[in-house]
Amino acid sequence: MTHAFPGGALALDFAGTLRYRHRPEPREDLSSPESLSAWFRESGITEHAIPCEAADLRTALALREALHRLIRARMAGTAYDRDALALVNAYARKPAPVPQLTATGCHVEARLEQAFAAVARDAVTVLGGPDAALLKECGNPECSQVYVDRSRGARREWCAMDPCGNRIKAAAYRARKRTSGRRTA
């Protein structure tokens, strides 16, 4: 699997495809039409590759940034950006992928517009429902992934243990060892 899905919701994971937004140079996970197609397949929106072109990738990045602005606004308790809201709602109104029952189980195929609709509808569900109160940003200062904290007591600190939680815990351990080493010397 090429892509990570730590957010607990399609919309959050799609917005998180621009990783480490707090760094001077964030990492772009949707760097090609092929990586966009792979994201849709790995996310479970579709089982097969969706043909994508450069223009489709530009559309996806525009949708992703609109989602990011809406997520940040919701977390901050501020008004939504009107253009971002209009774009997400426009895609949410489009037909979504339709699962089909087959002799071997469930089968899902989607066109590109249906895949965008699935992400937009998920954003409407997350940002407009009870999960909106559970949104958190990863505690790793470099990571910008937003996730739904459904943990007991809402005490989850990281988008995922690997790599963010492990890095923070390892740094804290090294700091404790340095401090205890100075006290014994």
Side-chain angles (χ1 to χ4, degrees):
M1 190 178 279
T2 306
H3 298 282
F5 299 91
L10 280 175
L12 301 177
D13 291 328
F14 194 70
T17 58
L18 183 59
R19 312 271 304 157
Y20 310 113
R21 288 178 185 258
H22 303 305
R23 289 183 182 171
E25 293 184 28
R27 186 182 83 203
E28 178 61 73
D29 286 352
L30 299 179
S31 56
S32 68
E34 295 78 22
S35 63
L36 175 62
S37 180
W39 191 92
F40 288 129
R41 191 181 66 258
E42 292 172 17
S43 71
I45 290 175
T46 184
E47 295 173 16
H48 301 289
I50 298 174
C52 297
E53 298 179 8
D56 302 325
L57 180 59
R58 286 190 296 275
T59 300
L61 298 181
L63 177 59
R64 178 189 68 197
E65 293 310 305
L67 288 169
H68 179 72
R69 288 192 305 275
L70 296 177
I71 292 164
R72 290 291 171 190
R74 181 63 169 101
M75 290 175 66
T78 59
Y80 289 137
D81 175 274
R82 292 174 61 159
D83 293 335
L85 190 62
L87 182 63
V88 169
N89 282 333
Y91 277 106
R93 284 190 289 275
K94 295 184 183 294
V98 179
Q100 299 290 301
L101 184 61
T102 67
T104 58
C106 180
H107 176 73
V108 181
E109 283 188 32
R111 295 183 318 275
L112 185 62
E113 198 166 79
Q114 290 174 305
F116 288 148
V119 172
R121 286 179 181 198
D122 187 65
V124 170
T125 300
V126 171
L127 298 176
D131 283 347
L134 305 175
L135 296 178
K136 284 187 177 177
E137 184 177 55
C138 183
N140 178 347
E142 290 188 348
C143 184
S144 57
Q145 178 68 47
V146 174
Y147 60 93
V148 179
D149 184 2
R150 294 186 184 102
S151 68
R152 189 173 169 168
R155 294 175 21 183
R156 184 172 157 192
E157 297 179 46
W158 307 290
C159 62
M161 276 304 289
D162 183 27
C164 291
N166 291 338
R167 286 182 185 158
I168 300 297
K169 285 186 169 196
Y173 173 79
R174 286 189 301 273
R176 283 193 308 274
K177 289 302 253 183
R178 278 192 302 272
T179 303
S180 69
R182 286 184 201 135
R183 277 191 251 141
T184 58

